[in-house]
Amino acid sequence: MMLPIAESSAEAVAFTPNQIVCLERDGVALYAEVIQMIPERQRCWVRPRWLVCPEQVYVLDDRAPDLVWPSADFRLAFDLEVLPLTGELSTSSRATAGRQQLQQWLRRWHSTQGN
């Protein structure tokens, strides 16, 4: 399933591969690993790692598809945010639920962008 690619008019931000970045909205945070920057499109290719909702942390465990998203929407994640997430255990059912939550959240994000 192909996820939507959001549009952004803000300037691109440069990240480096393997950095953990955060995409936040509506009390939900997606932490993802940067795979590659695409400067000519002001996008970055990221691999989702954790989806943090108000009452649940989903370990995505390579079960969520990679995203190409406007780099300006991300911020660099702080070590103090990410370190507690590395101890979260993954189960197949939580990863599947996390992938579904991620897809719904990204669709809501995309729909509010007016695309």
Side-chain angles (χ1 to χ4, degrees):
M1 168 184 238
M2 188 80 163
L3 291 175
I5 297 176
E7 296 296 325
S8 176
S9 60
E11 283 190 39
V13 179
F15 299 112
T16 59
N18 301 317
Q19 282 185 312
I20 301 295
V21 294
C22 182
L23 182 65
E24 296 177 285
R25 181 177 257 183
D26 301 329
V28 177
L30 169 65
Y31 292 91
E33 178 183 355
V34 175
I35 304 302
Q36 182 179 348
M37 292 299 299
I38 309 168
E40 61 275 3
R41 294 185 56 213
Q42 299 181 344
R43 304 266 192 274
C44 57
W45 168 17
V46 299
R47 182 159 294 137
R49 294 296 185 198
W50 302 277
L51 184 66
V52 180
C53 300
E55 297 179 12
Q56 180 74 46
V57 174
Y58 296 100
V59 179
L60 298 170
D61 242 8
D62 295 330
R63 290 184 176 97
D66 289 357
L67 303 173
V68 174
W69 201 267
S71 54
D73 288 347
F74 287 99
R75 66 168 176 80
L76 190 59
F78 296 105
D79 292 345
L80 292 175
E81 295 173 88
V82 176
L83 287 174
L85 299 175
T86 62
E88 291 287 328
L89 297 176
S90 174
T91 65
S92 181
S93 62
R94 282 181 64 193
T96 299
R99 185 180 66 228
Q100 293 168 346
Q101 290 293 322
L102 174 62
Q103 289 174 346
Q104 291 172 6
W105 183 67
L106 291 173
R107 283 189 191 111
R108 282 193 306 272
W109 182 303
H110 185 66
S111 69
T112 62
Q113 297 297 310
N115 296 324

